[in-house]
Amino acid sequence: MPPERKRQQEPQDSAPKRLLNIRTLQHLALRLNLPLRILESLAEDTASHYKPLPPVPKKGGGTRTIEPPRHLLKHVQRQIHATLLARLWLPDEIHAYRPRRSVQTAIEPHLRKPFLWVADIRNFYPSISAVRVYKMFCQLGCTPEISKLLTRLTTHRHRLPQGAPTSPTLANLYLHFSGLASRLSGLAKQHGLDLTYFGDDILVSSNSPFMHLAPHLAKIIKQSGLSLHPKKTRSVAGPFDRHEALGVVMDPRSGQIDIPKSYRRKLKALLRLCRRHGPGVLAACGITHKDPKAYLSGKIAYAVRVNPKNGILQKCLDEIDWRAASRKQTIRRIVRTQARPWTRNFSPQDRSKE
């Protein structure tokens, strides 16, 4: 085949697909490159192939249950994601868990917009039941037998599990197949709104006030089978209000973005403690990672990626002597006085009041 003709066909092969069209079990095993007997044996008893972790406290109260699959089921779910789900078409407004998409691409349409509404979907993964996942696979062109098998392999306790490789993409697909994405997009186009999704967050912005549309937007979300978190879903922010979404603070006038001040303050405090008393104080502050330097480097890299001016934090990290030993008396004093503030809510999406 001539090279020119081959290059012309590549975009067609890599184009997103609208359907899976899997009609037989043998076809499914061939697509996944896995023996059918393994798929069927896993589907008979998926509960024993999950390892629940200790509940993680949520910032808004309550706990989050993480249930990652064990090795064999995780491998199968990764195959399902890579060969089937990752190639499916999704609306452009959905940004989470997609190649070449990020927090920055999700908030970019909302920069310099004086009015912003941020909605948080409550218990996003647990709200997507196994019945809804089964219906999605049927809509994707799979037979009932195939849909049932794939549903068993991708759900746990009759819902999407948090920690499974397939859950993020299936959650994105639910935004599409539930009709939520199309209905909100139609309303946004009708009223000149900008709309993006990132995980369980929905961002809507405009150059004009749209406070009267917020109840209608919430109603559409509820009709799709989802509910909003009352504490995390705020009213429409105006041009003189704080614009914060996805752990990023936006200036509606200049369009500049930055991390929250609380996030920067905690990073500076940890770096200052390390520089004065040695890296051993990090364990006293609740940071027990095997490589604490890499842990702080990741936090700093995120801050620099959001705003290059935060590069000063990297200089502070480089000044720390990571071979220095910390005094036990100093560590005990920090445990008594300063450990708790740094171990609580230390993440980019810390929404504490400044």
Side-chain angles (χ1 to χ4, degrees):
M1 180 182 292
E4 296 181 357
R5 186 177 178 183
K6 184 177 181 180
R7 283 197 298 269
Q8 291 176 357
Q9 290 184 355
E10 283 177 358
Q12 297 178 2
D13 297 338
S14 60
K17 301 180 183 300
R18 297 272 182 167
L19 297 172
L20 292 176
N21 286 329
I22 302 176
R23 314 306 296 176
T24 64
L25 292 173
Q26 291 73 19
H27 185 199
L28 175 63
L30 182 64
R31 291 278 296 271
L32 297 178
N33 194 25
L34 292 169
L36 180 58
R37 57 181 178 82
I38 292 181
L39 299 178
E40 292 178 331
S41 63
L42 280 174
E44 289 178 0
D45 182 26
T46 56
S48 61
H49 291 273
Y50 286 91
K51 47 179 180 180
L53 301 179
V56 179
K58 294 183 180 180
K59 297 174 188 176
T63 58
R64 176 181 288 106
T65 303
I66 309 297
E67 299 174 304
R70 299 184 187 276
H71 178 73
L72 181 57
L73 182 58
K74 180 183 290 187
H75 175 69
V76 172
Q77 289 178 348
R78 283 176 175 170
Q79 284 294 100
I80 293 174
H81 172 264
T83 61
L84 302 181
L85 303 179
R87 302 182 181 185
L88 293 172
W89 179 88
L90 283 170
D92 289 335
E93 294 85 0
I94 299 176
H95 290 258
Y97 320 115
R98 301 182 66 183
R100 297 179 295 277
R101 304 289 182 97
S102 63
V103 168
Q104 282 80 359
T105 62
I107 65 174
E108 185 177 356
H110 309 286
L111 298 179
R112 290 191 172 87
K113 296 297 175 63
F115 298 93
L116 174 69
W117 185 63
V118 182
D120 183 276
I121 300 175
R122 188 172 192 171
N123 296 325
F124 188 26
Y125 286 5
S127 298
I128 304 175
S129 64
V131 174
R132 290 172 174 173
V133 174
Y134 171 81
K135 290 180 179 179
M136 281 196 295
F137 282 122
C138 289
Q139 290 176 283
L140 286 167
C142 299
T143 62
E145 184 181 26
I146 302 298
S147 301
K148 186 177 180 180
L149 179 60
L150 287 173
T151 300
R152 287 183 173 180
L153 292 173
T154 55
T155 60
H156 180 49
R157 302 182 190 274
H158 309 291
R159 55 179 172 75
L160 281 187
Q162 300 203 41
T166 50
S167 293
T169 307
L170 286 172
N172 281 344
L173 287 168
Y174 182 76
L175 296 175
H176 168 52
F177 282 103
S178 65
L180 174 62
S182 59
R183 292 187 64 187
L184 289 184
S185 296
L187 185 65
K189 186 178 296 184
Q190 181 181 356
H191 294 276
L193 309 177
D194 287 288
L195 170 72
T196 56
Y197 306 85
F198 195 90
D200 58 358
D201 288 306
I202 303 175
L203 283 63
V204 184
S205 65
S206 176
N207 290 318
S208 305
F210 61 96
M211 288 76 169
H212 61 289
L213 292 175
H216 190 28
L217 294 167
K219 182 179 179 181
I220 293 176
I221 295 171
K222 186 176 181 180
Q223 289 174 345
S224 68
L226 303 172
S227 60
L228 296 180
H229 198 294
K231 294 182 179 180
K232 296 182 179 180
T233 301
R234 307 171 183 176
S235 58
V236 178
F240 301 103
D241 297 325
R242 177 185 175 92
H243 286 204
E244 182 178 354
L246 308 180
V248 175
V249 179
M250 299 175 280
D251 188 337
R253 293 175 290 277
S254 65
Q256 295 181 352
I257 61 174
D258 203 350
I259 57 175
K261 291 181 180 179
S262 58
Y263 183 82
R264 190 187 298 106
R265 280 200 298 263
K266 292 178 181 180
L267 266 179
K268 286 183 176 178
L270 287 173
L271 294 172
R272 184 169 58 251
L273 288 172
C274 287
R275 190 168 61 250
R276 289 182 180 178
H277 308 295
V281 300
L282 292 177
C285 295
I287 300 175
T288 57
H289 293 258
K290 295 181 180 179
D291 191 347
K293 183 178 180 181
Y295 171 81
L296 290 178
S297 297
K299 297 286 185 181
I300 293 172
Y302 172 80
V304 174
R305 188 166 64 249
V306 173
N307 191 334
K309 292 182 179 179
N310 294 315
I312 188 66
L313 297 172
Q314 184 62 46
K315 295 181 180 179
C316 296
L317 182 70
D318 297 336
E319 294 174 356
I320 298 174
D321 183 5
W322 292 94
R323 295 171 297 178
S326 302
R327 296 180 180 178
K328 292 183 178 181
Q329 294 179 351
T330 302
I331 293 177
R332 289 171 186 164
R333 176 172 55 82
I334 293 173
V335 169
R336 291 195 304 267
T337 61
Q338 297 183 347
R340 292 182 181 275
W342 314 129
T343 57
R344 184 171 61 249
N345 294 344
F346 184 42
S347 71
Q349 298 194 28
D350 183 5
R351 297 173 181 176
S352 58
K353 295 182 179 179
E354 318 272 53

